[in-house]
Amino acid sequence: MLQSPLSIIPISSTEGSWIVSVITLSACAGAIPTGVIANAVGPKRTLQIMAIPLLVSWYLIAFSKYLWVIYLARLLAGVGVGSTCVAAPMYVTDIAEVRVRGLLGTFFQLQITIGFLIGYTFGVLIESFQILALVSSVFPIIFLVAFYFMPESPTFLLSKNRIHEARMALQFLRGHGHEIENELSTRKEELNEIASNQCKFSDLYRCQATMKAMIIALGLMFFQQFSGINAILFYAGTIFKDASGSLSSGCCTVIIGTVQVLATLMAATLIERLGRKILLLISGWIMAVCLITIGVYFHLAILDYDVTSFAFVPLVCTAVYIVAFSVGFGPIPWMIAGDIFSTKVKGLACSISTTFNWTLAFTVTKLFIPLRDEIGIGFTFIIFGVVCVLAFLFTLTYIPETKGKSLGEVQILLAGGKGIQQHLVTQKASFKV
């Protein structure tokens, strides 16, 4: 589908890799200022604003006759995607009750996987790239119309001292007749605490616990992206076309998209039952086995070995890989980032982690095609598999289990458990944040 407009715009594999990867580069740029924008105009308004570049990007693609216009469209789409990845979780966190906040948090990842599945399905059903873009443009329009009737974040309204509007928004969200004054008072107190504890960049490296948390967060983001997930999702059709199995590449991508949605649903239950660390270990090991197996299959095929009897291997291994990723290295790095940073540094630390993640996503998606052409698709997958082995070792030796632990307990673990004095200092800090 990437090269379907060939009759109008000839696209080389290098240009195709730019079309795929440039969205992740501009997503990084879009994510950086979103926190500031959301604090100024509100998460709801930010999401509405950022739906516009997504809508415009689809129309540019639909009516484009020049390659540079497609690049521009993908850049605009990336800005919208990157900003949404910051503003949407902010909005969900602000409107959710505490008892369902974790569950609603997993829905964001679920919606991403559903988006991939819809894209894969439309890609099979619609042959024209231009018509596909026009059909896709309907979704931002639906969002803009439906989201108009949602209230602004009550926390944002309180931060702007718009008390009456915040009360009305919270009442709408909780339902008429529901008592909201206690929750409103709690939110006011939380805002006062945050305002009295402004974070500086130096706070990230002055404290041993925070420094180790930063290494953990960036390390997990690195392994998440260099496990090859975006290369597999973005180039799924190309990978299955190379496999030359009995199923069409389009059918295989739809199967993978369906598996990813189901696995993400399963992850919401497993994460709270089994814990973060054990799922990361299982995820890393299974992904390594799957990727190395796929790599060996493709390498043998390149060497002209008869692998027709094993044509199912890429599909099966990719499906298992997607399940392993969806219950481990997909959602958990984001969850751990929320578990290990104190409130004082969480905003700054998570912004750095998000920017780092998008930068890595660009690197992987941009280099996948050139790397495949240079060393072969087999060795490319083997490299991703080796990275997953390293991810397993990193998790085993460096990641603490945060399930069921308070912020103070996590901080003690990260600081190495330096006795009662350290515990008291950490507890004091946790109360302040």
Side-chain angles (χ1 to χ4, degrees):
M1 181 58 69
L2 175 64
Q3 296 184 341
S4 60
L6 275 173
S7 59
I8 301 175
I9 309 170
I11 298 175
S12 68
S13 63
T14 300
E15 290 166 341
S17 71
W18 274 109
I19 290 173
V20 172
S21 61
V22 74
I23 191 172
T24 56
L25 185 63
S26 57
C28 176
I32 294 172
T34 299
V36 175
I37 296 172
N39 287 337
V41 304
K44 175 190 174 179
R45 188 71 65 198
T46 302
L47 288 167
Q48 290 174 314
I49 292 170
M50 290 306 167
I52 295 174
L54 289 171
L55 180 61
V56 172
S57 71
W58 287 123
Y59 287 134
L60 287 176
I61 292 173
F63 299 106
S64 171
K65 295 183 179 179
Y66 303 99
L67 182 60
W68 68 267
V69 177
I70 294 181
Y71 285 147
L72 176 61
R74 296 289 285 176
L75 282 168
L76 285 173
V79 171
V81 168
S83 182
T84 300
C85 285
V86 176
M90 288 177 63
Y91 184 77
V92 171
T93 299
D94 284 352
I95 68 173
E97 292 184 77
V98 174
R99 63 185 177 87
V100 296
R101 188 173 293 167
L103 178 62
L104 291 180
T106 63
F107 283 3
F108 181 66
Q109 180 69 21
L110 176 63
Q111 290 164 340
I112 292 174
T113 62
I114 291 173
F116 270 106
L117 177 58
I118 291 172
Y120 290 154
T121 305
F122 283 171
V124 172
L125 299 176
I126 303 173
E127 294 184 0
S128 169
F129 194 76
Q130 287 78 13
I131 294 176
L132 176 60
L134 286 174
V135 172
S136 300
S137 70
V138 173
F139 291 97
I141 295 173
I142 293 174
F143 169 78
L144 285 170
V145 173
F147 203 53
Y148 173 81
F149 299 98
M150 290 298 294
E152 182 54 271
S153 155
T155 301
F156 167 76
L157 294 171
L158 285 173
S159 71
K160 299 301 180 182
N161 206 31
R162 294 155 60 178
I163 309 299
H164 178 65
E165 292 177 66
R167 182 176 284 107
M168 290 180 62
L170 195 58
Q171 193 71 72
F172 174 88
L173 293 165
R174 300 295 177 259
H176 293 292
H178 194 282
E179 202 285 318
I180 61 168
E181 293 304 320
N182 288 338
E183 183 177 354
L184 205 64
S185 298
T186 300
R187 288 176 180 244
K188 289 178 185 177
E189 293 173 4
E190 289 174 349
L191 285 172
N192 291 334
E193 289 294 328
I194 292 172
S196 64
N197 287 279
Q198 296 298 316
C199 176
K200 302 185 293 294
F201 185 80
S202 59
D203 292 328
L204 294 178
Y205 57 83
R206 283 182 176 175
C207 172
Q208 178 182 340
T210 303
M211 186 65 182
K212 185 172 181 179
M214 200 74 232
I215 293 171
I216 289 172
L218 295 181
L220 288 176
M221 296 303 178
F222 173 85
F223 289 119
Q224 182 194 68
Q225 289 301 326
F226 273 83
S227 70
I229 183 62
N230 278 324
I232 287 176
L233 293 178
F234 290 174
Y235 295 104
T238 302
I239 292 168
F240 292 124
K241 183 179 178 181
D242 289 346
S244 300
S246 58
L247 294 175
S248 69
S249 62
C251 181
C252 289
T253 56
V254 172
I255 292 173
I256 292 303
T258 304
V259 168
Q260 189 180 21
V261 171
L262 296 176
T264 305
L265 281 170
M266 181 175 62
T269 302
L270 290 178
I271 288 171
E272 290 304 322
R273 287 187 178 180
L274 298 182
R276 281 73 156 152
K277 182 168 183 172
I278 185 64
L279 284 177
L280 283 175
L281 290 171
I282 294 171
S283 174
W285 187 252
I286 293 177
M287 287 194 302
V289 172
C290 291
L291 289 170
I292 292 173
T293 301
I294 295 173
V296 171
Y297 170 88
F298 279 120
H299 186 64
L300 292 176
I302 291 171
L303 295 177
D304 290 330
Y305 282 89
D306 183 8
V307 294
T308 53
S309 299
F310 303 96
F312 62 89
V313 167
L315 177 60
V316 172
C317 284
T318 303
V320 175
Y321 166 88
I322 290 294
V323 171
F325 180 86
S326 298
V327 301
F329 272 89
I332 293 179
W334 302 105
M335 294 184 67
I336 285 185
D339 290 341
I340 61 180
F341 290 112
S342 67
T343 305
K344 181 177 181 179
V345 300
K346 186 176 294 185
L348 178 59
C350 288
S351 293
I352 293 173
S353 300
T354 301
T355 303
F356 183 63
N357 187 283
W358 278 114
T359 303
L360 293 173
F362 166 75
T363 303
V364 172
T365 52
K366 179 66 185 75
L367 292 181
F368 177 74
I369 291 296
L371 195 61
R372 181 201 67 179
D373 294 343
E374 184 67 27
I375 66 173
I377 191 170
F379 279 123
T380 302
F381 273 103
I382 289 173
I383 289 173
F384 287 144
V386 170
V387 171
C388 289
V389 173
L390 296 177
F392 174 87
L393 296 175
F394 177 78
T395 302
L396 185 65
T397 59
Y398 210 73
I399 306 295
E401 178 55 75
T402 60
K403 174 179 175 290
K405 292 183 173 62
S406 68
L407 175 60
E409 291 170 331
V410 172
Q411 295 293 297
I412 291 172
L413 278 175
L414 294 173
K418 295 184 177 180
I420 298 298
Q421 183 64 35
Q422 176 66 35
H423 173 75
L424 293 173
V425 171
T426 307
Q427 285 291 89
K428 182 180 179 182
S430 67
F431 283 125
K432 292 178 74 176
V433 298

